[in-house]
Amino acid sequence: MKKYSIMKSMNMHPKKGKRTILEMTKILSRHGYCTLGEAFNRLDFFSAVQDARRFTYVARLLQLIAKSQLTSLSGVAQKNYFNVLDKIVQKVLDDHQNPRLIKDLLQDLSSTLCILIRGVGKSVLVGNINIWVCRLETILNWQQQLQNLQMTEQVDSGLTLSDLPVHMLSNILYRFSDGWDIVTLGQVTPTLSALSEDRRLWKKLCQYHFGEKQFCRHLILSEKGHIEWKLMYFALQKHYPTKEQYGDTLHFCRHCSILFWKDSGHPCTAADPDSCFTPVSPQHFIDLFKF
């Protein structure tokens, strides 16, 4: 992510954004967060995985670290990283929730590790190469387990999706912000399949994630001249980042110089605590340690 995008997400002016991030970085370093590894060690991500509101945030953070920051982790941070990852994988295997998200994470991690292991001597991998090879084998094993994951059919005499009226099913689909979730739910019943092809649904999704200039660059029309919003969504997704949504996120208090989960809060002593809180996205969390 470009620095301007980070500043925009935090409501910063571009000219002042870099200074603000630098100031936050200096404050964090005074409180023991000198590196990404130290911050990862001190924040209890292991417990956060058990919280459904924080699960996606932690998984996304691990994915970003896998893509670009793996070599910056110390030996202890590596151990913590893979302990959290193991917790995440076991949770998905147990409750069958968010498998696609974790499959993407493991794919990025295995791709990065393959490149780093092949380039040993050229790249900086902290630790014994044999340990990294074992970790790669573990990741490949996790990928196989997730690939073989079978969703068990639940026997329940209660209300099901098929029993809901059409307008309620449509309302459910309109609440999704991820196109793949809409496609997946559309495979459950014939009614949901028809509703998941609603042009207005995909138009709203495109307008939520992307701008008008982006539409113009990747305009897809049908033979009748209608905009193919569903095809456009997946085409745009390949070129531009989509908006990320999390049930709970880390926040930074400028008054107390502390990172905390929003839903947990913290006893801020400022006269107007809310004005001191800045949301910290997974990408912004990593970028704090790049200066």
Side-chain angles (χ1 to χ4, degrees):
M1 182 184 286
K2 295 181 180 179
K3 289 175 184 174
Y4 177 74
S5 303
I6 302 163
M7 300 164 197
K8 188 176 180 181
S9 68
M10 298 181 65
N11 298 319
M12 296 180 186
H13 190 280
K15 293 182 179 179
K16 299 178 180 178
K18 185 174 182 180
R19 186 186 68 180
T20 305
I21 295 175
L22 280 169
E23 288 173 350
M24 288 176 64
T25 303
K26 290 177 181 178
I27 291 170
L28 287 172
S29 67
R30 289 200 300 269
H31 287 78
Y33 299 93
C34 296
T35 66
L36 177 62
E38 288 172 350
F40 195 84
N41 292 340
R42 293 192 61 182
L43 295 168
D44 189 10
F45 290 120
F46 193 82
S47 297
V49 170
Q50 294 299 111
D51 191 325
R53 299 165 301 173
R54 300 171 184 173
F55 181 89
T56 306
Y57 184 100
V58 177
R60 177 58 176 161
L61 178 59
L62 264 62
Q63 185 176 24
L64 291 173
I65 292 174
K67 285 182 176 181
S68 63
Q69 300 297 312
L70 210 55
T71 56
S72 70
L73 299 181
S74 66
V76 175
Q78 289 172 25
K79 184 178 179 180
N80 288 342
Y81 178 94
F82 282 96
N83 282 342
V84 173
L85 183 58
D86 178 60
K87 187 78 171 178
I88 285 177
V89 173
Q90 297 310 317
K91 185 176 187 301
V92 172
L93 291 173
D94 290 340
D95 62 22
H96 297 181
Q97 295 183 25
N98 299 297
R100 180 167 54 82
L101 174 65
I102 307 310
K103 285 179 181 179
D104 290 344
L105 191 168
L106 293 178
Q107 182 58 48
D108 288 334
L109 183 56
S110 62
S111 298
T112 300
L113 271 183
C114 284
I115 294 171
L116 292 173
I117 289 173
R118 288 197 197 105
V120 66
K122 299 177 183 178
S123 61
V124 181
L125 267 177
V126 178
N128 189 295
I129 187 63
N130 293 322
I131 294 176
W132 285 104
V133 171
C134 289
R135 286 170 175 166
L136 179 58
E137 291 175 350
T138 300
I139 293 165
L140 296 176
N141 182 46
W142 284 337
Q143 287 179 303
Q144 189 61 52
Q145 290 181 62
L146 288 173
Q147 193 64 34
N148 297 334
L149 187 63
Q150 296 291 329
M151 301 297 179
T152 55
E153 184 176 351
Q154 305 227 351
V155 179
D156 192 347
S157 58
L159 193 68
T160 66
L161 279 174
S162 301
D163 300 318
L164 297 177
V166 173
H167 75 274
M168 289 186 68
L169 293 175
S170 179
N171 190 33
I172 290 172
L173 286 169
Y174 269 86
R175 291 181 180 274
F176 285 122
S177 61
D178 188 323
W180 284 112
D181 289 337
I182 294 174
V183 171
T184 302
L185 189 57
Q187 297 171 351
V188 176
T189 67
T191 301
L192 283 168
S193 178
L195 291 173
S196 69
E197 296 296 328
D198 182 5
R199 291 182 67 254
R200 290 173 299 175
L201 171 65
W202 291 99
K203 178 180 179 180
K204 184 176 179 181
L205 197 63
C206 283
Q207 291 174 334
Y208 172 74
H209 287 290
F210 311 108
E212 188 174 338
K213 290 182 179 179
Q214 295 168 333
F215 294 159
C216 296
R217 292 172 187 164
H218 302 275
L219 194 62
I220 301 175
L221 300 176
S222 66
E223 293 181 357
K224 296 182 179 179
H226 299 303
I227 298 176
E228 296 282 5
W229 290 106
K230 181 179 179 180
L231 294 178
M232 274 187 58
Y233 170 82
F234 289 107
L236 289 165
Q237 193 182 44
K238 294 178 181 178
H239 297 280
Y240 309 104
T242 54
K243 291 182 180 178
E244 297 179 353
Q245 287 188 334
Y246 305 103
D248 193 10
T249 60
L250 283 175
H251 275 58
F252 177 73
C253 177
R254 295 186 300 275
H255 179 75
C256 303
S257 306
I258 190 172
L259 284 167
F260 65 96
W261 290 101
K262 181 183 177 182
D263 282 2
S264 297
H266 92 99
C268 181
T269 57
D272 183 12
D274 290 342
S275 65
C276 302
F277 299 162
T278 301
V280 180
S281 70
Q283 182 63 60
H284 177 215
F285 179 87
I286 289 175
D287 285 323
L288 283 173
F289 301 95
K290 287 185 177 180
F291 290 94

